[in-house]
Amino acid sequence: MLNTNDILETIRMIETQHLDIRTVTMGISLLDCASDDKKVFADRIYDKITRNAKDLVSVCNSIEKKYGIPIINKRVSVTPIAIAGGGLKEDGFVMAAEALQRAASTVGINFIGGFSALVQKGMTPSDIALINSIPEALSKTSIVCSSINVASTKAGINMDAVAKMGKTIKELAYITKDADSIGCAKLVVFANAPDDNPFMAGAFHGVGEGDAVINVGVSGPGVVKSALESIKGKPLSEVAEVIKKTAFKITRVGGLVASEASKMLGVPFGIVDLSLAPTPAVGDSVARILEEMGLETCGCPGTTAALAMLNDAVKKGGVMASSSVGGLSGAFIPVSEDEGMIAAAESGCLKLEKLEAMTAVCSVGLDMIAIPGDTSAETISGIIADEMAIGVVNCKTTAVRVIPAYGKKAGEKVVFGGLLGEAPIMPVNTASPADFIHRGGRIPAPMHSLKN
């Protein structure tokens, strides 16, 4: 039961420490929209999304008003389109993406995810057609997000898909070059992608889910940093305890919003994702939490250890607050969306190789990282392969969302604005992995995948 102090503390979190509900995401199954007629499929997509999500924004707005808790984003995720649209050609998938865009605009959400394929063990003709359509589909739409799962601990790494995604990212960067290659900010490559992730660009509605579900993503890096400011110089064991208690409180707020949205929309409550998701705003940074622990700058020696402790403490606090924790749940480290990460990268302290090490213990992976536009497709595929290996071997979700900024070099900057922020272009190792990537095939699953 909440007491007066708990209520006042929550108010302080909201007013001064950037506590918010980062997203309420409605997952919607499109399996019953299947058709080999591309126009019929597109029309069914539009009809089902607009029917199910018509009240999503208004309900979230009413919850904000009732409880005074900001809900920053209202989103929809759908069944991976390569599955729901099996049998379509490339032009049919582009039409489906345009239908997703129209539906999202009609219901008033800011992003829609699920222009996706699951190809960790192999690619069907529909998977290939969807991947081939990504550059056109994402350049013709502004709020449609795409994700491709190319690896899993159970299946290994599909290196044919990894090679294909390197080329796809390069093509998308070129097509959207007039806007700093922003199309690549809406495309993520996964290992072990979860079915219930509410965050973009990786959200999709898993095939094992029901017809519709409400998933909520909370946040609050500023709240955690503020809590740590009161225990300067204390042992790390005490730091972990403070993070756990803070994550507990943040998750309780998320659970409240999720339950209320579920009840008002008549849609089952799925999960609360308690990831610490930063924004470009000062005071809302995961990097600044790590520095509050005692690091001079995020990226210096000790950063991976500090991030590992943060991620673990967040999870422990969250699972005590809710029996429905899911999605990714941990700490995000997107460069362009975190002012502390941006500063560390600009200073030269935070490098791509250090970010890769950090992904072994964080929530996702190499996220929103701008790289030189002349980076080869094979090098991008090599970056993807390395990140997928970390996820597969460690039985965790990892991902790559890189932006090869066409026409720009290391030391320059891309500027997207809004939640996507801005990022310095980070240098990339120029030695080529081309022969390795061109071998293709599949890197087998690790021994510890055999758990049955």
Side-chain angles (χ1 to χ4, degrees):
M1 186 176 216
L2 290 175
N3 60 35
T4 303
N5 288 335
D6 290 330
I7 295 169
L8 291 174
E9 184 177 25
T10 302
I11 292 171
R12 283 196 302 273
M13 289 178 178
I14 293 168
E15 291 184 344
T16 66
Q17 299 166 13
H18 300 280
L19 174 63
D20 57 49
I21 300 300
R22 191 54 48 88
T23 180
V24 174
T25 301
M26 178 181 284
I28 301 174
S29 173
L30 299 184
L31 292 176
D32 55 354
C33 297
S35 173
D36 56 4
D37 184 312
K38 60 186 180 183
K39 186 177 186 312
V40 170
F41 181 56
D43 289 344
R44 289 176 178 174
I45 287 175
Y46 178 85
D47 291 343
K48 183 157 190 187
I49 293 171
T50 54
R51 184 172 65 251
N52 280 266
K54 66 182 186 300
D55 297 324
L56 177 61
V57 172
S58 62
V59 164
C60 289
N61 290 342
S62 68
I63 294 171
E64 281 187 293
K65 186 176 180 180
K66 180 178 179 180
Y67 294 105
I69 301 169
I71 300 174
I72 305 303
N73 301 300
K74 297 86 177 173
R75 297 167 171 170
V76 167
S77 63
V78 299
T79 307
I81 294 295
I83 296 173
L88 294 180
K89 306 298 183 185
E90 290 177 31
D91 60 340
F93 284 117
V94 173
M95 185 177 287
E98 292 172 326
L100 292 172
Q101 173 85 16
R102 288 198 311 276
S105 298
T106 297
V107 299
I109 57 176
N110 74 316
F111 279 117
I112 185 165
F115 196 74
S116 307
L118 311 178
V119 297
Q120 57 267 24
K121 202 168 185 180
M123 294 182 282
T124 68
S126 294
D127 295 326
I128 294 170
L130 181 131
I131 293 172
N132 287 341
S133 76
I134 285 174
E136 182 179 359
L138 295 194
S139 64
K140 284 186 171 182
T141 58
S142 59
I143 54 179
V144 174
C145 293
S146 179
S147 57
I148 308 296
N149 193 77
V150 301
S152 73
T153 299
K154 292 293 288 183
I157 306 173
N158 182 347
M159 290 299 293
D160 293 323
V162 168
K164 194 167 188 62
M165 290 313 299
K167 295 176 182 177
T168 300
I169 290 168
K170 283 286 288 185
E171 186 177 349
L172 179 56
Y174 177 77
I175 291 177
T176 58
K177 64 182 184 299
D178 293 338
D180 278 345
S181 300
I182 193 173
C184 298
K186 301 184 294 170
L187 173 62
V188 59
V189 184
F190 270 120
N192 294 318
D195 288 351
D196 53 9
N197 165 27
F199 287 100
M200 300 297 169
F204 62 85
H205 185 69
V207 294
E209 301 280 337
D211 194 55
V213 68
I214 290 293
N215 297 320
V216 168
V218 299
S219 191
V223 178
V224 175
K225 181 180 182 298
S226 178
L228 294 182
E229 288 172 356
S230 65
I231 56 164
K232 291 183 182 294
K234 298 293 184 180
L236 291 174
S237 54
E238 190 169 335
V239 170
E241 287 300 312
V242 169
I243 295 171
K244 283 196 303 183
K245 291 175 182 177
T246 306
F248 177 89
K249 295 169 186 175
I250 293 171
T251 307
R252 295 285 281 187
V253 173
L256 171 66
V257 170
S259 298
E260 192 78 359
S262 171
K263 181 172 63 177
M264 293 176 69
L265 290 164
V267 174
F269 164 34
I271 58 94
V272 174
D273 185 320
L274 50 95
S275 297
L276 295 180
T279 72
V282 174
D284 202 22
S285 164
V286 170
R288 300 305 186 193
I289 297 174
L290 304 179
E291 291 167 1
E292 187 60 40
M293 290 183 189
L295 303 178
E296 180 179 356
T297 304
C298 180
C300 72
T303 297
T304 305
L307 181 60
M309 189 183 73
L310 172 65
N311 216 46
D312 179 67
V314 166
K315 291 178 188 292
K316 287 174 177 173
V319 297
M320 287 298 292
S322 173
S323 59
S324 300
V325 170
L328 298 162
S329 291
F332 287 174
I333 53 170
V335 173
S336 81
E337 298 172 9
D338 185 311
E339 62 85 15
M341 293 285 179
I342 294 169
E346 287 178 334
S347 73
C349 187
L350 183 62
K351 300 182 184 298
L352 189 61
E353 289 78 11
K354 185 62 176 181
L355 278 165
E356 182 181 299
M358 293 164 68
T359 65
V361 299
C362 79
S363 222
V364 191
L366 296 172
D367 196 15
M368 288 301 291
I369 296 170
I371 59 176
D374 61 359
T375 305
S376 70
E378 290 86 358
T379 295
I380 294 172
S381 293
I383 292 170
I384 293 171
D386 285 344
E387 195 59 35
M388 300 303 100
I390 290 172
V392 166
V393 171
N394 289 289
C395 304
K396 72 182 293 292
T397 301
T398 52
V400 172
R401 185 165 47 147
V402 294
I403 300 103
Y406 188 85
K408 293 194 172 183
K409 299 179 180 179
E412 296 184 71
K413 182 181 289 187
V414 293
V415 179
F416 301 126
L419 184 63
L420 297 177
E422 61 182 51
I425 296 173
M426 303 180 75
V428 174
N429 190 322
T430 57
S432 176
D435 289 347
F436 175 70
I437 298 300
H438 291 160
R439 284 177 178 268
R442 182 161 58 92
I443 295 179
M447 178 62 73
H448 57 256
S449 69
L450 302 175
K451 293 184 177 180
N452 290 336

